[in-house]
Amino acid sequence: MADRAHAVPDDPAGRIVVVLDLDGVTDKAGLMDRCARDLSLPEWFGRNWDALADCLSDPALWPEGAGERGLLVVVTGWRAYAEARPEEWQVAEEIFAEATDRGPGLFVTLGS
């Protein structure tokens, strides 16, 4: 995830922020590809729900410094995907919530 990470000075918690941009994503395969790209997931990322949850909740895969400071993943451009594939989007939201629960210091939020 390190390549796309940057600190946002106005993040009140001082976390490392990564943007997951889902603009143009219309299916699960596209979501997984975008996660792999924007979150700089390892090549062994399995592109399935369990693998996504595992990668998100593993601080060893977070950007440098995020283990200590925390990681905020901001999901943007998600509405079209949520409308096109509501069942898949519901699973994605559950994965984000599960990863947040499993990974201390991780928070996933929906942006615009």
Side-chain angles (χ1 to χ4, degrees), residues 74-100:
V74 180
V75 183
T76 62
W78 57 272
R79 283 184 171 81
Y81 176 51
E83 290 172 9
R85 305 272 182 139
E87 297 84 11
E88 284 181 15
W89 178 246
Q90 182 178 1
V91 174
E93 286 186 303
E94 290 170 7
I95 295 299
F96 295 148
E98 176 187 330
T100 298

Side-chain angles (χ1 to χ4, degrees), residues 34-111:
R34 197 65 56 90
C35 286
R37 183 194 79 185
D38 288 359
L39 304 177
S40 300
L41 299 179
E43 288 195 24
W44 51 259
F45 168 56
R47 286 180 164 72
N48 61 59
W49 298 122
D50 289 337
L52 180 58
D54 290 345
C55 286
L56 284 172
S57 60
D58 184 351
L61 300 177
W62 296 357
E64 185 176 339
E68 297 80 36
R69 294 174 49 194
L71 177 63
L72 173 62
V73 177
V74 180
V75 183
T76 62
W78 57 272
R79 283 184 171 81
Y81 176 51
E83 290 172 9
R85 305 272 182 139
E87 297 84 11
E88 284 181 15
W89 178 246
Q90 182 178 1
V91 174
E93 286 186 303
E94 290 170 7
I95 295 299
F96 295 148
E98 176 187 330
T100 298
D101 290 343
R102 287 172 50 190
L106 173 68
F107 187 73
V108 180
T109 188
L110 301 181

